[in-house]
Amino acid sequence: MSDTPIPDAWSDLRRLRYFAVLAEELHFTRAAARLSIAQPALSQQIRALERQLDVPLVHRTSRGCTLTEVGARVADEANRLLAEVNAGTSRIRDLVRGRGGRLRLAYTRSARGGRVDALVARFRAAHPDVEVVPETAWTAPNVAGLLAGRLDAAFVRPPVDEPALACRAVDTEELLLALPAGHPLAAGRRRIGRAEVVDLPAVMWPRENGPGMFDRTIAQVWPRGGFRLVRQEPDDEQLLRAVTQGDVVAAVPAGRARALRLRGVRLRRFTAPTPTVDVALAWPRDSTNPALRRFLALLD
């Protein structure tokens, strides 16, 4: 047989499909009827396939046809190839329609539970065929992952000043003051004034983890200055553990603080105006991922 490559892949697939049907029917007229083409056209396409492969595929008889030895093997390969093509075509259609595919999604460490987890749960339920690839990090590395193309979407703490990213608020949380159980402000108090926390030794996570949230927290809780940072911890859990040791206070999102519920920590609300921080979903503006479009549709 010739090793000459076939230049027209689509014509090749069409002829293989014609031949696969003929191999089932072993009759040109019946096969042509199944394919909704004229019998002479089918005969012409089968002869063209034989010329391409440089080998006879069928023995023509007055009552129909039979397969040659090579024809039988070609029929098996044709059926296998056409099944793969059909499956691949279905996968492509699903991707275009937002079904199937993959969504690489990052959570932010300080915002699990609530509307964030509910949104992801709704998406998983509505699109079980989409592979959700989750991870968790601070806002800054999440933003870096989006800009590098490693993530499709990420939950972040705004503001996020990146023109290449779109950002939409998902939830708003109240900031609470975490106090050691034995602190004077924890005794018989439900709300704490801003002036009362001025110059109190405070613990906070590093600003580079999420500059926008860090600055917004300081601006709302210590609006006239007096933020005295004496200790840094890598995340909210370690931050609250530092509070249990009795020598620092911390401003923490209500959801995370209440979920952790560490002994030795008292949570108090601030007087009005209530300080808040947002959690938002960010994604690349130029993304063409259909699964992402379906995820964004839930925000509406």
Side-chain angles (χ1 to χ4, degrees):
M1 290 188 293
S2 170
D3 291 331
T4 303
I6 302 170
D8 188 344
W10 290 111
S11 294
D12 188 35
L13 285 173
R14 183 178 67 250
R15 288 169 181 159
L16 285 175
R17 185 167 70 90
Y18 290 172
F19 177 65
V21 173
L22 179 64
E24 292 180 8
E25 296 291 341
L26 295 178
H27 195 281
F28 277 90
T29 301
R30 290 197 300 268
R34 273 183 58 184
L35 293 165
S36 300
I37 62 173
Q39 186 272 331
L42 174 60
S43 181
Q44 180 183 10
Q45 291 298 319
I46 298 303
R47 290 189 184 280
L49 181 60
E50 290 176 318
R51 288 195 299 270
Q52 287 178 334
L53 299 178
D54 196 21
V55 65
L57 299 175
V58 297
H59 295 301
R60 292 159 177 83
T61 69
S62 59
R63 294 184 178 181
C65 64
T66 60
L67 299 179
T68 66
E69 182 180 349
V70 173
R73 298 207 305 267
V74 170
D76 288 341
E77 291 297 330
N79 284 320
R80 188 177 298 111
L81 176 61
L82 291 168
E84 292 177 359
V85 170
N86 290 336
T89 300
S90 295
R91 288 193 297 270
I92 290 171
R93 288 193 180 118
D94 285 346
L95 285 171
V96 170
R97 294 168 184 167
R99 298 196 297 263
R102 183 173 64 164
L103 183 70
R104 300 166 299 173
L105 177 68
Y107 295 95
T108 179
R109 289 191 181 279
S110 63
R112 290 300 304 268
R115 293 183 181 177
V116 169
D117 283 4
L119 178 64
V120 177
R122 284 175 56 204
F123 180 75
R124 288 182 184 273
H127 306 284
D129 50 350
V130 175
E131 180 189 9
V132 178
V133 184
E135 61 180 73
T136 302
W138 287 96
T139 289
N142 283 352
V143 168
L146 291 170
L147 295 175
R150 190 177 57 77
L151 295 171
D152 298 306
F155 291 103
V156 297
R157 290 291 193 177
V160 174
D161 187 19
E162 290 290 348
L165 301 181
C167 197
R168 188 180 300 182
V170 173
D171 201 359
T172 299
E173 288 186 273
E174 183 176 354
L175 281 172
L176 302 178
L177 182 67
L179 297 157
H183 196 282
L185 291 179
R189 302 289 299 277
R190 298 186 63 183
R191 290 184 179 266
I192 306 298
R194 304 301 199 279
E196 296 177 278
V197 299
V198 171
D199 290 331
L200 289 182
V203 57
M204 192 69 164
W205 36 264
R207 182 180 182 275
E208 56 266 24
N209 290 352
M213 180 181 176
F214 187 100
D215 293 344
R216 180 171 175 175
T217 298
I218 303 309
Q220 293 181 91
V221 177
W222 290 273
R224 295 179 176 82
F227 174 58
R228 184 157 71 94
L229 181 66
V230 299
R231 180 170 174 176
Q232 288 188 328
E233 294 293 342
D235 55 39
D236 290 324
E237 182 174 1
Q238 296 304 316
L239 183 149
L240 290 172
R241 290 191 184 282
V243 173
T244 66
Q245 296 173 14
D247 56 357
V248 291
V249 301
V252 290
R256 188 67 172 152
R258 288 169 175 156
L260 291 170
R261 292 185 179 276
L262 294 188
R263 294 182 61 184
V265 174
R266 299 292 181 266
L267 301 175
R268 296 293 181 263
R269 301 179 70 187
F270 287 96
T271 56
T274 302
T276 60
V277 288
D278 296 331
V279 58
L281 185 73
W283 67 94
R285 294 184 184 275
D286 61 357
S287 174
T288 59
N289 184 344
L292 173 62
R293 289 202 299 270
R294 287 298 179 100
F295 190 60
L296 296 177
L298 296 180
L299 298 179
D300 298 328

